[in-house]
Every structure is written in C-alpha cells, then in structure tokens.
Amino acid sequence: MTDVSGPYTYSSALGARDCPAGTYHIDLVNGTVAWSDGLYKLHGYERGEVVPTIELILAHKHPDDKPRAQEIIGEVCRHGGHFSIYHRIIDANGRVHQVLTSGEGAVDASGAVTAIDGMTVDLTATLQRETEVAAREAVERATSTRSVIDQARGLVMGRLRVGSDEAFRLLISLSSRTNMKLALVAAELVALADDPETSKGHDGQDRLDAAVHDLLDGKPRRHRRDSRS
C-alpha cells in the first residue's frame, strides 16, 4: 500500500499553531485507501485502529454534505480531474470539523481513472479564530463609533446649550438630511472642533459656534475653509 505523508500547511489566522491536515491515496484498481497520520487524527483515530475505506470516508461526512460529496467523488472516479470540497466531517468522538478536501483523479494511458490522491485540511480552528477576530474588531468599531457620537453630542450640548436627548435628536436629524451615517456626521463635527485652524483669530470661538449652528441647520459648511481668510 502506498505510504502517504503529511502536507506542509500554514494558516495566517493561527500563526505558529498547527493547521491539522492529512493526505490520502485511493487505489481504485485494488479498492484500497491509505491515510497519513494526520488524516487518522482528523477522523478521531490512531493508526491501526481502523482500516480506511471509501465507505468509512463517506460515513464520516456530515449528513447534509454527504450527497454532494458523493456526487463529486463519483464524477472524479469516472472522469478524473481535480476537485475541491469545503464540507464538514464528524470524527469518531462526535466532534464536527469544517474541512477542505482537494484531490485529483489519476488517469492511465487508456483513459481509465486508477487512483485519487489528495489532502484534507481542517479549517475549524482557523474559522473560529477569524470569527473571534472579526467579532472583536466589530466591538472595537462599535465602541469607537459610540465614543465619537458621544463627543459630538457633548459638543452640540455645549455650543447650543441643549440637553443630551435634544443634542442626539439634532445629530440624527442632520444625518437624515445629509444622507450620511450618524457616525460620519459626528466625526465631522468632532474633526471641526479639533481643527486648530478653526480657533485662529480673535473670533475663532464664534466661528466654531457658527459652524455648529450651520451644520445642524443644514446650511453650507463654509466655516472650515472660507471663513479663515
């Protein structure tokens, strides 16, 4: 039986951590299957516990993914060619793994498919890590958005001498009139307040007050550049 070795793998999400994977060889002439150690582990076994077969491979496919996987493997067995399947397998311990299986059907001189060689990569940890990172970044963005909105609300409260609810309503109104997201509207107001050019000159404070009033009244935003001259 052909000896298969484990592939070299790397996941940018996992960094130095292992990305579980294994290779396989299916001899269609003799009906035998060879797995690398990694593929045994991926299916929840140690080498020697089971004899890998096509039937065993299919038995570990998730029920929802099995029909399509069988269909693709059948096509490769008949016609050869490359394939790639992103699907789920359930290991011997009942754990679900999200995997990518790829391979190629080898064709002999007569055109008959004699074997399938390929590999399976376990993407479960990679997807979990990427989901965690995306969730954390979403929270950070949400926190940042709330922060800039709170700053803009405070700016409006101070300049227009209105309460928190009224300041928020005015910001929402401006967002609606300008068809801009609330966070973007808030960011512009905060940027205007932070712009050192805004307060230059003896009437700098008046310019900022006027700019806030104009923005909330829907008037042209002339104060950021025009009124500096």
Side-chain angles (χ1 to χ4, degrees):
M1 184 176 292
T2 303
D3 181 30
V4 289
S5 59
Y8 297 105
T9 61
Y10 168 72
S11 167
S12 60
L14 301 180
R17 290 173 53 191
D18 290 337
C19 185
T23 55
Y24 62 87
H25 173 81
I26 302 175
D27 188 326
L28 298 176
V29 177
N30 299 318
T32 57
V33 176
W35 281 352
S36 69
D37 288 342
L39 213 52
Y40 278 101
K41 292 179 180 178
L42 187 53
H43 284 82
Y45 302 112
E46 293 294 334
R47 183 179 290 277
E49 283 190 70
V50 295
V51 175
T53 62
I54 294 178
E55 291 73 24
L56 181 65
I57 292 172
L58 292 174
H60 280 282
K61 303 298 183 190
H62 190 283
D64 292 341
D65 299 334
K66 183 177 179 180
R68 183 57 178 152
Q70 275 184 294
E71 182 181 342
I72 292 175
I73 292 173
E75 287 295 314
V76 174
C77 288
R78 287 188 292 272
H79 307 294
H82 296 84
F83 70 93
S84 182
I85 311 172
Y86 173 63
H87 62 295
R88 292 159 292 178
I89 66 171
I90 303 174
D91 68 20
N93 300 304
R95 293 188 295 262
V96 177
H97 300 259
Q98 294 165 293
V99 303
L100 179 66
T101 296
S102 60
E104 179 183 9
V107 180
D108 64 14
S110 67
V113 182
T114 59
I116 300 176
D117 289 286
M119 64 180 292
T120 297
V121 182
D122 188 352
L123 300 176
T124 308
T126 292
L127 293 172
Q128 289 176 344
R129 176 59 178 164
E130 289 183 340
T131 299
E132 291 169 359
V133 170
R136 185 175 66 248
E137 290 177 346
V139 170
E140 291 173 351
R141 285 195 298 271
T143 301
S144 176
T145 297
R146 285 195 299 270
S147 175
V148 74
I149 291 174
D150 285 343
Q151 290 180 60
R153 179 159 54 180
L155 175 65
V156 174
M157 290 170 63
R159 300 299 175 187
L160 301 183
R161 303 190 185 287
V162 296
S164 176
D165 291 344
E166 176 64 10
F168 191 61
R169 187 192 66 76
L170 288 170
L171 288 171
I172 291 176
S173 176
L174 176 60
S175 172
S176 178
R177 286 200 311 272
T178 58
N179 197 29
M180 293 170 60
K181 290 184 177 181
L182 180 59
L184 203 56
V185 167
E188 286 210 3
L189 284 174
V190 172
L192 179 62
D194 289 341
D195 187 346
E197 293 294 325
T198 302
S199 59
K200 280 187 177 180
H202 70 279
D203 61 342
Q205 202 68 24
D206 293 334
R207 288 180 182 177
L208 180 55
D209 288 340
V212 171
H213 278 86
D214 283 3
L215 285 171
L216 295 178
D217 288 339
K219 296 178 182 178
R221 304 178 186 188
R222 61 182 181 277
H223 296 276
R224 298 187 67 174
R225 297 293 175 197
D226 297 347
S227 58
R228 293 174 192 165
S229 56

